Amino acid sequence: GARGACAPTAEERAGEGGGGARAPSCSVAGRRPRSSAPREHRRTTIGSSAVGRRAGGSARRLATSLLSLHTALELVAGSLLIVRGKGSLEANTTPSAKAKLYRRWHGAGLLALSGLGALVLARGQSHGEVGRTAFIVLTGFHSVAFGVHLLAAVEGESDLTVSFKEALLSPHLVLAAGMAVHLAR
């Protein structure tokens, strides 16, 4: 007749095949068979993996939170640049059509970064290899953007149009640093 889902075979019950009672070799509904390791070892192993899962859970929450915040910021900033055609720090004068074009291109780039974050989040991959790759791209972007701000400070030093203080207060520095710290973990 048919064996029960995890009923031991006659050999397993008799302990044949080398040494004492063994755990059944089948699985039920995708569950793995019980470990044949001593109980003390199982407790230690299970306990340490639970600690690992908790630590991994906080890293996952951090990755998801950081990527969610970044995605929202880029969505808002990119949308405003496309709609308005100028940045929030620009004077209240009407920019030329060419200046609006460049601002809108910038907005499109920010929306692309936001889209990258949204895709990674929607697929639940902010903590895996895909998320790591996205964080590398975003860290690179914000590092270069901060560098461009520093370059503008050097170029504007004579007429004080862009100061080093302004460059150091750039949101790109904070975003690049936060993502680099996350990647280093």
Side-chain angles (χ1 to χ4, degrees), residues 41-55:
H41 177 71
R42 284 196 313 255
R43 248 188 256 129
T44 306
T45 304
I46 292 169
S48 62
S49 65
V51 170
R53 280 195 302 271
R54 281 193 298 270

Side-chain angles (χ1 to χ4, degrees), residues 66 139 142-143 146 171-184:
L66 188 58
T139 302
H142 288 292
S143 297
F146 173 66
H172 295 291
L173 176 60
V174 174
L175 289 167
M179 290 182 185
V181 166
H182 170 68
L183 284 170

Side-chain angles (χ1 to χ4, degrees), residues 35-87:
S35 171
S36 61
R39 182 176 293 263
E40 298 78 30
H41 177 71
R42 284 196 313 255
R43 248 188 256 129
T44 306
T45 304
I46 292 169
S48 62
S49 65
V51 170
R53 280 195 302 271
R54 281 193 298 270
S58 65
R60 287 177 178 175
R61 281 190 301 278
L62 175 64
T64 302
S65 298
L66 188 58
L67 193 57
S68 297
L69 175 66
H70 180 268
T71 299
L73 287 172
E74 298 298 16
L75 177 65
V76 170
S79 297
L80 287 173
L81 283 171
I82 287 179
V83 169
R84 294 175 53 196
K86 67 178 187 173

